[in-house]
Amino acid sequence: KAGVTQTPRYLIKTRGQQVTLSCSPISGHRSVSWYQQTPGQGLQFLFEYFSETQRNKGNFPGRFSGRQFSNSRSEMNVSTLELGDSALYLCASSLSRDRAYGYTFGSGTRLTVV
Amino acid sequence: AQKITQTQPGMFVQEKEAVTLDCTYDTSDPSYGLFWYKQPSSGEMIFLIYQGSYDQQNATEGRYSLNFQKARKSANLVISASQLGDSAMYFCAMRSNRGSNYKLTFGKGTLLTVNP
């Protein structure tokens, strides 16, 4: 069974540009969450989507946004990129929002802003 | 607010020996879940084990077991018979099982190195 697929794996962007990252969850999974991982701040929650609705949002500026499509695939967008946005962006999917289920992560998209 | 503390930035263990990775947590929620993830250099977060706050027994998954001491708010991961492939970053995480916020709160991680 296919895992969580994130594309692209690596991305280099220039300050001020915008970027869109994609996440395809495990088939049947309806919950998708996004996390940012940096050496300084560690892993931080960005947002969670369930059935095309944003359910929770972390403490990030409005430049960070996302959406989920009817097939559960999700995208996150970062506008007006800053050097500090360089990070590994991880997507996780879950079968449901049931507390007993764990999250399956993808391999991440490594974004470098120059 | 939830907080996870992993006090060991790095750990070394000999192959085939057991190792314990420490994790303490803080939360005011009566119902919560604790997770351990492994992150190899490739970046993917691999789920290892889950413990619910109301689970009566400590969780086990193959060579992984979770030493859950609720009164001390600790959830240490024990890896038995370490293998070279266990070398990776290990993250402890928690999530409230109450309300509608299902975000995971992670610790800073422990880098485990298994020596041959």
Side-chain angles (χ1 to χ4, degrees):
Chain A
K1 144 177 161 179
V4 177
T5 303
Q6 290 189 246
T7 56
R9 285 296 310 276
Y10 302 92
L11 207 49
I12 300 175
K13 288 288 189 179
T14 303
R15 203 168 31 174
Q17 288 185 314
Q18 75 162 17
V19 67
T20 299
L21 311 182
S22 177
C23 172
S24 294
I26 290 174
S27 178
H29 283 197
R30 297 166 62 193
S31 171
V32 174
S33 301
W34 289 87
Y35 291 82
Q36 181 197 64
Q37 185 177 23
T38 60
Q41 299 299 317
L43 283 145
Q44 293 184 287
F45 171 76
L46 279 157
F47 23 65
E48 181 212 354
Y49 287 89
F50 183 80
S51 295
E52 302 178 64
T53 302
Q54 186 181 91
R55 300 296 176 136
N56 294 296
K57 190 175 193 303
N59 189 24
F60 279 82
R63 300 185 296 106
F64 291 81
S65 63
R67 58 178 174 169
Q68 185 180 34
F69 302 95
S70 58
N71 61 358
S72 293
R73 189 177 72 86
S74 177
E75 289 181 346
M76 68 163 279
N77 184 277
V78 187
S79 62
T80 318
L81 284 166
E82 301 177 359
L83 296 179
D85 297 333
S86 295
L88 179 66
Y89 290 88
L90 291 161
C91 163
S93 77
S94 179
L95 181 61
S96 77
R97 304 190 84 217
D98 187 300
R99 296 161 180 90
Y101 287 95
Y103 303 86
T104 302
F105 282 81
S107 296
T109 294
R110 190 167 296 279
L111 171 65
T112 301
V113 182
V114 297
Chain B
Q2 300 174 339
K3 185 177 180 181
I4 294 284
T5 302
Q6 294 181 254
T7 58
Q8 305 154 314
M11 287 282 287
F12 293 88
V13 65
Q14 288 297 122
E15 195 178 5
K16 299 180 185 176
E17 292 185 349
V19 63
T20 298
L21 306 184
D22 294 341
C23 172
T24 57
Y25 61 91
D26 191 24
T27 181
S28 57
D29 291 325
S31 178
Y32 50 88
L34 295 156
F35 301 78
W36 276 93
Y37 283 89
K38 171 185 177 182
Q39 187 179 41
S41 56
S42 61
E44 181 180 2
M45 297 284 282
I46 301 168
F47 168 73
L48 297 177
I49 198 165
Y50 169 84
Q51 178 84 43
S53 59
Y54 289 122
D55 292 344
Q56 295 296 314
Q57 293 187 322
N58 286 346
T60 61
E61 290 285 349
R63 296 186 298 112
Y64 305 105
S65 60
L66 200 151
N67 184 1
F68 181 47
Q69 298 186 46
K70 194 171 181 178
R72 298 179 62 184
K73 293 189 174 180
S74 75
N76 298 340
L77 176 71
V78 181
I79 305 175
S80 63
S82 297
Q83 302 171 356
L84 295 178
D86 293 335
S87 294
M89 281 291 290
Y90 288 80
F91 292 94
C92 179
M94 76 179 300
R95 175 192 64 190
S96 172
N97 284 348
R98 184 181 70 169
S100 61
N101 193 338
Y102 290 82
K103 74 170 187 176
L104 287 170
T105 299
F106 286 88
K108 294 293 187 184
T110 296
L111 179 61
L112 177 66
T113 302
V114 181
N115 295 316

